[in-house]
Structure formats: structure tokens, C-alpha cells
Amino acid sequence: MVLMRSFTDMNSFSQVIRITQNRNFLLFCASILFALVMTFLLSDASFTKVQNYVLFLLFFAICLWVTEAIPPFSVSVLIVGFLVLVMGKSEAYDAIQYLQTWSDSVIWLFLGGFFLAEAMKKTKLDLLLLKAVLPTFGTNPVNVLWGLMLVTAAMSQLLQ
């Protein structure tokens, strides 16, 4: 009986996932349609092709953020990728100037820090470090702050 119940729970779970995926797909398509309609309605005859693309992207990104058809970080990557694609095809713009900003060492340092923080969060290493370091520095807020700064400095050395 228990096995049968868990099997029906799995079926209902897979149905929920399927419905959610269908809902997200419909929201994504509705976002495209809304962005196209708004671009058509608000576009001016004096707009260039690239300006119309950027206007479309504005409405498309707003819809995706509001409906959460795709995760918010994906929307930000979509914006950057779309702009590079659109700007790179225009004679007036050169995509290299937009892509070179990603090759700056400071950007990679920030990305490395974000990846390291996410990895520590997923492996719960951040909690282990907190539990190990916090008792060492006591309950005084100044000492706790110094402890967190020292741990942060030590972890930043992993990036270099």
C-alpha cells in the first residue's frame, strides 16, 4: 500500500512539473508576443533597426522578469547576449567593444568570487567555517567582525 501511494505521489509530482514547464513555455511565448506588440505600437519612424531591437528587448526583459518564465539571472544573460548579437550585426556598432569588457581581470575576479561563494553554499562549507570561527572570536561584535574579515581574506587568497 505504501509503495502504491509513493508511486501515485511520483505521478502527481511529474504532472506538476509538466504543468509548470508548460506554464513557463506559455509565459515565455506570451512575453515575446507582448514585446512585439509593444514595440510595434511604440516604435517611431525615426528609430533605426537597432533601436527597435533594443526597445523589443526592454519589453521582453520586463515581461520575463515579471512572469518569471525563466530565472532572473537567465534574463540578465539573455540581455547581454541579445545586445551583443544585435549590436554585432549592425555596421554602426562593433561587437568586439562589448565583448572586451568581459575579458577584464576584475570581471573574472568578481565571477570567481561569486562561483566560490555559491560552491561554499552548496557544500555547506560556509556554515562549517562559521561554526569553527565564530566561537574563537567570542561575542563582542568588533571581534566577530574581525573574524569574518580574516576568513574573507583567507578565502579570497584561494582565487589568487
Side-chain angles (χ1 to χ4, degrees), residues 16-98:
V16 168
I17 288 178
R18 218 174 304 128
I19 290 169
T20 304
Q21 288 173 344
N22 289 341
R23 180 180 168 269
N24 287 345
F25 178 72
L26 290 174
L27 287 173
F28 188 83
C29 292
S31 297
I32 291 174
L33 184 63
F34 178 78
L36 285 171
V37 168
M38 291 302 291
T39 303
F40 178 74
L41 291 175
L42 297 176
S43 180
D44 191 36
S46 64
F47 284 2
T48 64
K49 197 176 197 180
V50 173
Q51 288 171 330
N52 282 324
Y53 288 153
V54 172
L55 185 63
F56 166 80
L57 180 63
L58 172 72
F59 290 118
F60 186 50
I62 289 171
C63 283
L64 289 178
W65 274 322
V66 169
T67 62
E68 293 183 357
I70 60 175
F73 74 89
S74 300
V75 177
S76 61
V77 171
L78 177 80
I79 290 171
V80 171
F82 187 82
L83 286 175
V84 168
L85 179 73
V86 168
M87 300 291 185
K89 290 188 181 251
S90 173
E91 296 88 26
Y93 300 102
D94 188 15
I96 299 299
Q97 67 183 354
Y98 300 103

